[in-house]
Amino acid sequence: MTPDDDGLWDDLLTAARAAREHAYAPYSRFGVGAAALADDGRLVTGCNVENAGYGVTLCAECGLVSQLHITGGGRLTHFACVGGALPGPAHPVMPCGRCRQLLWENGGADLVVLTPSGPRPMTEVLPDAFGPEDLEV
């Protein structure tokens, strides 16, 4: 899969929906799946994993970024996330604020995110983002 493929977003949505099938969401019954393309062409995915201690629930993006690093690192170039009540269909959803920061850290300004209103660069998804360059002294 390359960013020039006409079916890139369809491929990412298909992979995100497949990842959602593995979601562990016994409390909210809202399954989330995420898929992204890395700069070396790898496809990485993740799903949400809830916990009875709600604050330690893992978003799908957390699993995706973990898979990115455990399979070789690199940068994310294209990202899609789907969610919906289980059982049922999944539709594109926006990452939460914490996950937008996580995506910025691992994809930066050039990462393109499929939002419910269409593809958007991270500079629109998280304007005036805080990143590693802000920590340089």
Side-chain angles (χ1 to χ4, degrees), residues 55 95-96 106:
C96 70
N106 291 277

Side-chain angles (χ1 to χ4, degrees), residues 97-112:
R98 178 181 85 150
C99 290
R100 292 178 199 195
Q101 181 66 39
L102 190 64
L103 292 170
W104 182 276
E105 183 83 13
N106 291 277
D110 295 330
L111 173 60
V112 180

Side-chain angles (χ1 to χ4, degrees), residues 62-113:
C62 293
L64 180 144
V65 167
S66 181
Q67 188 180 81
L68 172 72
H69 288 281
I70 204 166
T71 61
R75 303 292 285 168
L76 300 174
T77 63
H78 296 78
F79 171 85
C81 189
V82 299
L86 294 170
H91 55 279
V93 295
M94 278 301 282
C96 70
R98 178 181 85 150
C99 290
R100 292 178 199 195
Q101 181 66 39
L102 190 64
L103 292 170
W104 182 276
E105 183 83 13
N106 291 277
D110 295 330
L111 173 60
V112 180
V113 175

Side-chain angles (χ1 to χ4, degrees), residues 101 104-105 126 128-135:
Q101 181 66 39
W104 182 276
E105 183 83 13
L126 189 63
D128 301 320
F130 179 85
E133 64 280 353
D134 295 303
L135 298 176

